PDB file of all heavy atoms in Angstrom:
ATOM      1  N   ARG A  19      24.881  -6.246 -68.464  1.00 31.00           N
ATOM      2  CA  ARG A  19      25.924  -6.124 -67.510  1.00 31.00           C
ATOM      3  C   ARG A  19      27.225  -6.155 -68.216  1.00 31.00           C
ATOM      4  O   ARG A  19      27.436  -6.702 -69.306  1.00 31.00           O
ATOM      5  CB  ARG A  19      25.880  -7.330 -66.532  1.00 31.00           C
ATOM      6  CG  ARG A  19      24.587  -7.358 -65.696  1.00 31.00           C
ATOM      7  CD  ARG A  19      24.548  -6.213 -64.700  1.00 31.00           C
ATOM      8  NE  ARG A  19      23.272  -6.158 -64.021  1.00 31.00           N
ATOM      9  CZ  ARG A  19      23.163  -6.487 -62.710  1.00 31.00           C
ATOM     10  NH1 ARG A  19      24.213  -6.748 -62.024  1.00 31.00           N
ATOM     11  NH2 ARG A  19      21.971  -6.470 -62.118  1.00 31.00           N
ATOM     12  N   SER A  27      47.160 -13.405 -62.496  1.00 38.00           N
ATOM     13  CA  SER A  27      48.450 -13.257 -61.925  1.00 38.00           C
ATOM     14  C   SER A  27      49.342 -14.434 -62.214  1.00 38.00           C
ATOM     15  O   SER A  27      48.791 -15.627 -62.200  1.00 38.00           O
ATOM     16  CB  SER A  27      48.386 -13.087 -60.369  1.00 38.00           C
ATOM     17  OG  SER A  27      49.592 -13.176 -59.787  1.00 38.00           O
ATOM     18  N   CYS A  40      45.960 -25.554 -42.852  1.00 34.00           N
ATOM     19  CA  CYS A  40      46.129 -26.714 -42.005  1.00 34.00           C
ATOM     20  C   CYS A  40      45.711 -26.308 -40.549  1.00 34.00           C
ATOM     21  O   CYS A  40      44.972 -27.065 -39.866  1.00 34.00           O
ATOM     22  CB  CYS A  40      47.581 -27.181 -41.979  1.00 34.00           C
ATOM     23  SG  CYS A  40      48.044 -28.009 -43.551  1.00 34.00           S
ATOM     24  N   ILE A  90      52.779  -4.888 -32.429  1.00 98.00           N
ATOM     25  CA  ILE A  90      51.747  -4.123 -31.891  1.00 98.00           C
ATOM     26  C   ILE A  90      50.633  -4.118 -32.919  1.00 98.00           C
ATOM     27  O   ILE A  90      50.696  -3.518 -33.971  1.00 98.00           O
ATOM     28  CB  ILE A  90      52.186  -2.732 -31.593  1.00 98.00           C
ATOM     29  CG1 ILE A  90      53.377  -2.732 -30.637  1.00 98.00           C
ATOM     30  CG2 ILE A  90      51.116  -1.887 -30.970  1.00 98.00           C
ATOM     31  CD1 ILE A  90      53.965  -1.406 -30.401  1.00 98.00           C
ATOM     32  N   GLY A  96      49.898  -8.263 -38.691  1.00 98.00           N
ATOM     33  CA  GLY A  96      50.701  -8.438 -37.454  1.00 98.00           C
ATOM     34  C   GLY A  96      50.737  -9.869 -37.103  1.00 98.00           C
ATOM     35  O   GLY A  96      51.850 -10.343 -36.655  1.00 98.00           O
ATOM     36  N   SER A  99      53.101 -11.922 -39.312  1.00 98.00           N
ATOM     37  CA  SER A  99      54.517 -11.679 -39.029  1.00 98.00           C
ATOM     38  C   SER A  99      54.932 -12.296 -37.745  1.00 98.00           C
ATOM     39  O   SER A  99      56.031 -12.908 -37.640  1.00 98.00           O
ATOM     40  CB  SER A  99      54.787 -10.190 -39.023  1.00 98.00           C
ATOM     41  OG  SER A  99      56.179  -9.867 -39.114  1.00 98.00           O
ATOM     42  N   GLN A 121      33.314   6.415 -25.540  1.00 75.00           N
ATOM     43  CA  GLN A 121      32.139   6.738 -24.700  1.00 75.00           C
ATOM     44  C   GLN A 121      30.840   6.912 -25.593  1.00 75.00           C
ATOM     45  O   GLN A 121      29.744   6.973 -25.028  1.00 75.00           O
ATOM     46  CB  GLN A 121      32.424   8.060 -23.989  1.00 75.00           C
ATOM     47  CG  GLN A 121      32.648   9.347 -24.866  1.00 75.00           C
ATOM     48  CD  GLN A 121      34.022   9.537 -25.326  1.00 75.00           C
ATOM     49  OE1 GLN A 121      34.770   8.622 -25.446  1.00 75.00           O
ATOM     50  NE2 GLN A 121      34.385  10.790 -25.569  1.00 75.00           N
ATOM     51  N   ARG A 126      36.871   1.221 -31.253  1.00 75.00           N
ATOM     52  CA  ARG A 126      38.241   1.825 -31.304  1.00 75.00           C
ATOM     53  C   ARG A 126      39.238   0.708 -31.648  1.00 75.00           C
ATOM     54  O   ARG A 126      40.345   0.982 -32.045  1.00 75.00           O
ATOM     55  CB  ARG A 126      38.538   2.420 -29.905  1.00 75.00           C
ATOM     56  CG  ARG A 126      37.772   3.647 -29.652  1.00 75.00           C
ATOM     57  CD  ARG A 126      38.288   4.305 -28.439  1.00 75.00           C
ATOM     58  NE  ARG A 126      38.263   3.445 -27.210  1.00 75.00           N
ATOM     59  CZ  ARG A 126      38.449   3.882 -25.971  1.00 75.00           C
ATOM     60  NH1 ARG A 126      38.761   5.140 -25.736  1.00 75.00           N
ATOM     61  NH2 ARG A 126      38.340   3.094 -24.974  1.00 75.00           N
ATOM     62  N   THR A 147      27.027 -11.681 -50.108  1.00 98.00           N
ATOM     63  CA  THR A 147      26.459 -12.932 -50.510  1.00 98.00           C
ATOM     64  C   THR A 147      24.945 -13.001 -50.287  1.00 98.00           C
ATOM     65  O   THR A 147      24.150 -13.556 -51.079  1.00 98.00           O
ATOM     66  CB  THR A 147      27.107 -14.153 -49.811  1.00 98.00           C
ATOM     67  OG1 THR A 147      28.566 -14.069 -49.972  1.00 98.00           O
ATOM     68  CG2 THR A 147      26.598 -15.424 -50.328  1.00 98.00           C
ATOM     69  N   THR A 157      16.530 -12.590 -61.140  1.00 95.00           N
ATOM     70  CA  THR A 157      16.791 -13.161 -62.472  1.00 95.00           C
ATOM     71  C   THR A 157      16.232 -14.516 -62.679  1.00 95.00           C
ATOM     72  O   THR A 157      16.071 -14.970 -63.862  1.00 95.00           O
ATOM     73  CB  THR A 157      18.313 -13.181 -62.754  1.00 95.00           C
ATOM     74  OG1 THR A 157      18.924 -13.995 -61.782  1.00 95.00           O
ATOM     75  CG2 THR A 157      18.929 -11.780 -62.725  1.00 95.00           C
ATOM     76  N   PRO A 159      13.172 -15.920 -62.613  1.00 96.00           N
ATOM     77  CA  PRO A 159      11.977 -16.180 -63.536  1.00 96.00           C
ATOM     78  C   PRO A 159      12.357 -16.302 -64.981  1.00 96.00           C
ATOM     79  O   PRO A 159      11.667 -16.914 -65.754  1.00 96.00           O
ATOM     80  CB  PRO A 159      11.174 -14.889 -63.268  1.00 96.00           C
ATOM     81  CG  PRO A 159      11.475 -14.528 -61.846  1.00 96.00           C
ATOM     82  CD  PRO A 159      12.897 -14.743 -61.746  1.00 96.00           C
ATOM     83  N   ARG A 179      26.211 -14.036 -38.952  1.00 98.00           N
ATOM     84  CA  ARG A 179      27.500 -13.315 -39.381  1.00 98.00           C
ATOM     85  C   ARG A 179      28.396 -13.139 -38.257  1.00 98.00           C
ATOM     86  O   ARG A 179      29.648 -13.413 -38.261  1.00 98.00           O
ATOM     87  CB  ARG A 179      27.087 -12.032 -40.061  1.00 98.00           C
ATOM     88  CG  ARG A 179      28.261 -11.132 -40.553  1.00 98.00           C
ATOM     89  CD  ARG A 179      27.806  -9.741 -40.743  1.00 98.00           C
ATOM     90  NE  ARG A 179      27.484  -9.071 -39.461  1.00 98.00           N
ATOM     91  CZ  ARG A 179      26.645  -8.076 -39.339  1.00 98.00           C
ATOM     92  NH1 ARG A 179      25.968  -7.672 -40.361  1.00 98.00           N
ATOM     93  NH2 ARG A 179      26.388  -7.544 -38.144  1.00 98.00           N
ATOM     94  N   ALA A 184      33.213 -14.383 -34.774  1.00 96.00           N
ATOM     95  CA  ALA A 184      33.670 -14.752 -33.466  1.00 96.00           C
ATOM     96  C   ALA A 184      34.470 -16.096 -33.586  1.00 96.00           C
ATOM     97  O   ALA A 184      35.499 -16.258 -32.876  1.00 96.00           O
ATOM     98  CB  ALA A 184      32.489 -14.948 -32.454  1.00 96.00           C
ATOM     99  N   ALA A 256      18.787  -3.385 -37.306  1.00 97.00           N
ATOM    100  CA  ALA A 256      17.665  -3.542 -38.204  1.00 97.00           C
ATOM    101  C   ALA A 256      18.123  -3.008 -39.596  1.00 97.00           C
ATOM    102  O   ALA A 256      18.938  -2.128 -39.603  1.00 97.00           O
ATOM    103  CB  ALA A 256      16.427  -2.897 -37.727  1.00 97.00           C
ATOM    104  N   VAL A 263      24.529   6.878 -48.241  1.00 98.00           N
ATOM    105  CA  VAL A 263      25.907   6.532 -48.117  1.00 98.00           C
ATOM    106  C   VAL A 263      26.755   7.704 -48.738  1.00 98.00           C
ATOM    107  O   VAL A 263      26.445   8.151 -49.831  1.00 98.00           O
ATOM    108  CB  VAL A 263      26.198   5.207 -48.832  1.00 98.00           C
ATOM    109  CG1 VAL A 263      27.676   4.844 -48.708  1.00 98.00           C
ATOM    110  CG2 VAL A 263      25.392   4.060 -48.282  1.00 98.00           C
ATOM    111  N   ILE A 276      25.132  -3.279 -51.474  1.00 98.00           N
ATOM    112  CA  ILE A 276      24.578  -4.274 -50.665  1.00 98.00           C
ATOM    113  C   ILE A 276      23.227  -3.912 -50.121  1.00 98.00           C
ATOM    114  O   ILE A 276      22.264  -4.603 -50.234  1.00 98.00           O
ATOM    115  CB  ILE A 276      25.563  -4.589 -49.500  1.00 98.00           C
ATOM    116  CG1 ILE A 276      26.781  -5.352 -50.020  1.00 98.00           C
ATOM    117  CG2 ILE A 276      24.851  -5.412 -48.428  1.00 98.00           C
ATOM    118  CD1 ILE A 276      27.867  -5.502 -48.981  1.00 98.00           C
ATOM    119  N   ALA A 279      20.598  -3.842 -52.969  1.00 97.00           N
ATOM    120  CA  ALA A 279      20.197  -5.176 -53.414  1.00 97.00           C
ATOM    121  C   ALA A 279      19.375  -5.854 -52.407  1.00 97.00           C
ATOM    122  O   ALA A 279      18.477  -6.701 -52.693  1.00 97.00           O
ATOM    123  CB  ALA A 279      21.502  -5.996 -53.670  1.00 97.00           C
ATOM    124  N   LEU A 280      19.549  -5.544 -51.085  1.00 98.00           N
ATOM    125  CA  LEU A 280      18.765  -6.159 -50.017  1.00 98.00           C
ATOM    126  C   LEU A 280      17.322  -5.528 -49.860  1.00 98.00           C
ATOM    127  O   LEU A 280      16.577  -5.956 -49.056  1.00 98.00           O
ATOM    128  CB  LEU A 280      19.543  -6.159 -48.719  1.00 98.00           C
ATOM    129  CG  LEU A 280      20.714  -7.070 -48.651  1.00 98.00           C
ATOM    130  CD1 LEU A 280      21.466  -6.851 -47.287  1.00 98.00           C
ATOM    131  CD2 LEU A 280      20.352  -8.466 -48.771  1.00 98.00           C
ATOM    132  N   LEU A 301      37.477   2.700 -68.309  1.00 94.00           N
ATOM    133  CA  LEU A 301      36.433   1.760 -68.676  1.00 94.00           C
ATOM    134  C   LEU A 301      35.700   1.312 -67.422  1.00 94.00           C
ATOM    135  O   LEU A 301      34.461   1.241 -67.406  1.00 94.00           O
ATOM    136  CB  LEU A 301      37.025   0.568 -69.380  1.00 94.00           C
ATOM    137  CG  LEU A 301      36.058  -0.644 -69.671  1.00 94.00           C
ATOM    138  CD1 LEU A 301      34.952  -0.231 -70.579  1.00 94.00           C
ATOM    139  CD2 LEU A 301      36.780  -1.857 -70.199  1.00 94.00           C
ATOM    140  N   GLU A 404      46.142  -0.737 -49.225  1.00 92.00           N
ATOM    141  CA  GLU A 404      45.563  -1.101 -47.899  1.00 92.00           C
ATOM    142  C   GLU A 404      44.662  -2.321 -48.120  1.00 92.00           C
ATOM    143  O   GLU A 404      43.481  -2.315 -48.091  1.00 92.00           O
ATOM    144  CB  GLU A 404      44.748   0.096 -47.395  1.00 92.00           C
ATOM    145  CG  GLU A 404      45.596   1.270 -47.087  1.00 92.00           C
ATOM    146  CD  GLU A 404      44.817   2.463 -46.539  1.00 92.00           C
ATOM    147  OE1 GLU A 404      43.554   2.387 -46.511  1.00 92.00           O
ATOM    148  OE2 GLU A 404      45.440   3.533 -46.211  1.00 92.00           O
ATOM    149  N   VAL A 408      48.112  -8.136 -48.810  1.00 97.00           N
ATOM    150  CA  VAL A 408      49.364  -7.403 -48.871  1.00 97.00           C
ATOM    151  C   VAL A 408      50.051  -7.270 -47.587  1.00 97.00           C
ATOM    152  O   VAL A 408      51.262  -7.549 -47.443  1.00 97.00           O
ATOM    153  CB  VAL A 408      49.084  -5.991 -49.456  1.00 97.00           C
ATOM    154  CG1 VAL A 408      50.329  -5.107 -49.410  1.00 97.00           C
ATOM    155  CG2 VAL A 408      48.683  -6.058 -50.934  1.00 97.00           C
ATOM    156  N   PHE A 470      30.183  -6.695 -72.995  1.00 90.00           N
ATOM    157  CA  PHE A 470      29.285  -7.751 -73.430  1.00 90.00           C
ATOM    158  C   PHE A 470      28.371  -8.100 -72.282  1.00 90.00           C
ATOM    159  O   PHE A 470      28.595  -7.764 -71.110  1.00 90.00           O
ATOM    160  CB  PHE A 470      29.994  -8.969 -73.877  1.00 90.00           C
ATOM    161  CG  PHE A 470      30.891  -9.573 -72.778  1.00 90.00           C
ATOM    162  CD1 PHE A 470      30.382 -10.626 -72.038  1.00 90.00           C
ATOM    163  CD2 PHE A 470      32.200  -9.131 -72.563  1.00 90.00           C
ATOM    164  CE1 PHE A 470      31.171 -11.216 -71.015  1.00 90.00           C
ATOM    165  CE2 PHE A 470      32.994  -9.774 -71.567  1.00 90.00           C
ATOM    166  CZ  PHE A 470      32.456 -10.737 -70.797  1.00 90.00           C
TER     167      PHE A 470
END
Side-chain angles (χ1 to χ4, degrees):
R19 299 290 176 112
S27 171
C40 288
I90 303 172
S99 195
Q121 66 272 26
R126 293 188 298 190
T147 303
T157 58
R179 178 198 68 209
V263 179
I276 288 170
L280 290 174
L301 172 64
E404 297 179 355
V408 170
F470 60 93

